[in-house]
Amino acid sequence: MTQHSRKLLALTSAAILSSALLTACGSDALTTTADGLTVVTVGGGGSVFDTPLMVADANGYFRKQGLKLKFVTLTASIGPAAVQSDSVQFFDSSPTGFVTSHAKGLPQIAVGTDGLGNPLGLVVSKRFAQAHHLTGKTPAAQVAKALAGSTGGASSANTKAEAGVFLHAQGVDPEKKITWVSLPSPAADKAALKSDQIDWFVTSEPIPLQIQSDGDGVLVADPFKVPAWSAAEAGYGQVVVTKKSFASQHPDTVRKFATALQQATAYMNTHLKDSNDKTVLAAAKKLLKGMPDDVVRSSLRQADWPKDDSMNAAGWKKTLGFLDSLGSSPPGAKVTSEDWTNKYLP
């Protein structure tokens, strides 16, 4: 190959690469189905907080907006990078993940909140419950008093801190009165509880409710018993995030997506109270595979589902205060009106 030919090949390759990058990052990033629906790829952790996405899909809210949902399961650490690389257009994020990404300088924006609160459960072993006469109806102060001197499991800094919030509120010092065992995952927490290596642990539902349903433990604290975990005190539980450049390039798509999702949370707000409604349960079971119906229903009811997915400065202040209380906010983290917007909501 001559030098001229090599130069021509290099220039051609560069042009092809540049075109591919522009296609990935520009207005052609979205694809359509044969029947004319715009495909939106959404990442989520596969938790109870992703249920509105499934409800919007099941009830045809996305289709009515001309959209087709493609849901992919992503970890909290991968989700923001997937948004930034255009692998997904939206990510159903915890406020912790969003604030951390913001602190790293990722140009992403929250366009709606599709869940509120923290559906957490503190579950004790059957042996511990029997020894201390604990049930689901035991008052919070009595539960905390029984935990003093016990061994707690912790599979993340967040869940340990969330347990600490509860204990502190009841006058029990979690550092001085609890022996902590670090474990790699909630599944490891569950195994350690069943084998009596630990007396209790806190994690997100549905694991604590499942343990109780299986007869391997007793749920003694939840957001109904621990106000600090509730939506009223903790603020947002989940926010929908997209890349700022995507929102500016595809405002109509973002608006259609946010509209469909708000219709879903409003439906959940009303229909979770209806024991005859099967739509929400079926949607949640797509995410919480293998879980008994009563466990799924109870998990859903521990979160709040807004009729209106809009955000405000007071809500973000409350959320940041909660994250600060857990020690999970990056130093100096803040969220301003440039980082969230309601303009795409109906």
Side-chain angles (χ1 to χ4, degrees):
M1 183 182 290
T2 66
Q3 183 175 355
H4 175 73
S5 297
R6 284 195 294 271
K7 182 180 289 186
L8 181 61
L9 178 61
L11 290 171
T12 303
S13 300
I16 293 172
L17 178 59
S18 297
S19 176
L21 288 173
L22 286 172
T23 299
C25 300
S27 60
D28 295 332
L30 294 170
T31 60
T32 57
T33 64
D35 53 354
L37 299 177
T38 299
V39 179
V40 287
T41 306
V42 187
S47 76
V48 67
F49 272 128
D50 296 323
T51 302
L53 293 165
M54 303 298 126
V55 171
D57 197 34
N59 283 355
Y61 299 149
F62 286 129
R63 175 171 281 274
K64 289 176 184 176
Q65 295 293 328
L67 304 177
K68 180 177 177 58
L69 173 71
K70 180 180 179 182
F71 179 80
V72 294
T73 303
L74 299 172
T75 63
S77 59
I78 292 174
V83 171
Q84 207 57 36
S85 67
D86 296 316
S87 298
V88 300
Q89 282 81 53
F90 301 94
F91 181 55
D92 206 21
S93 174
S94 71
T96 306
F98 177 62
V99 171
T100 300
S101 299
H102 173 59
K104 292 178 180 177
L106 294 184
Q108 297 177 3
I109 189 167
V111 296
T113 176
D114 59 340
L116 302 168
N118 291 273
L120 297 165
L122 191 159
V123 60
V124 300
S125 69
K126 285 181 66 178
R127 175 192 57 77
F128 190 85
Q130 291 167 356
H132 296 271
H133 309 290
L134 300 178
T135 71
K137 296 181 179 180
T138 303
Q142 187 177 333
V143 170
K145 183 178 179 181
L147 295 181
S150 66
T151 300
S155 57
S156 75
N158 259 19
T159 53
K160 181 179 178 180
E162 286 158 347
V165 166
F166 163 62
L167 292 168
H168 269 304
Q170 300 300 329
V172 175
D173 188 324
E175 297 304 324
K176 294 180 180 178
K177 297 294 184 179
I178 305 297
T179 299
W180 293 100
V181 175
S182 295
L183 295 160
S185 67
D189 282 331
K190 180 180 176 180
L193 186 80
K194 192 172 181 179
S195 63
D196 288 323
Q197 295 176 50
I198 59 175
D199 297 316
W200 61 276
F201 71 95
V202 170
T203 197
S204 298
E205 298 294 2
I207 290 177
L209 282 163
Q210 182 193 23
I211 290 171
Q212 179 168 264
S213 178
D214 292 342
D216 294 328
V218 179
L219 183 67
V220 295
D222 58 24
F224 302 114
K225 193 179 284 187
V226 185
W229 296 347
S230 69
E233 293 196 18
Y236 304 126
Q238 203 81 344
V239 290
V240 179
V241 177
T242 191
K243 192 164 63 171
K244 287 184 177 181
S245 60
F246 179 84
S248 64
Q249 291 169 9
H250 303 282
D252 194 46
T253 299
V254 177
R255 187 174 295 107
K256 290 175 178 179
F257 180 82
T259 296
L261 203 56
Q262 178 167 289
Q263 289 174 331
T265 60
Y267 181 93
M268 291 174 65
N269 182 284
T270 301
H271 288 76
L272 268 178
K273 302 167 188 174
D274 180 1
S275 59
N276 294 318
D277 181 76
K278 306 299 181 187
T279 301
V280 179
L281 178 65
K285 290 185 74 171
K286 287 184 178 180
L287 301 163
L288 309 178
K289 292 179 171 59
M291 295 291 174
D293 288 4
D294 62 331
V295 168
V296 177
R297 284 195 190 94
S298 295
S299 298
L300 288 165
R301 288 169 179 161
Q302 286 192 13
D304 285 359
W305 307 101
K307 291 182 180 179
D308 179 349
D309 291 0
S310 63
M311 299 164 282
N312 55 55
W316 275 110
K317 183 178 179 180
K318 183 187 296 182
T319 300
L320 289 172
F322 179 69
L323 297 182
D324 285 342
S325 74
L326 301 180
S328 57
S329 289
K334 61 180 181 178
V335 175
T336 72
S337 57
E338 294 183 359
D339 307 310
W340 59 270
T341 182
N342 295 323
K343 72 178 183 178
Y344 300 106
L345 292 168

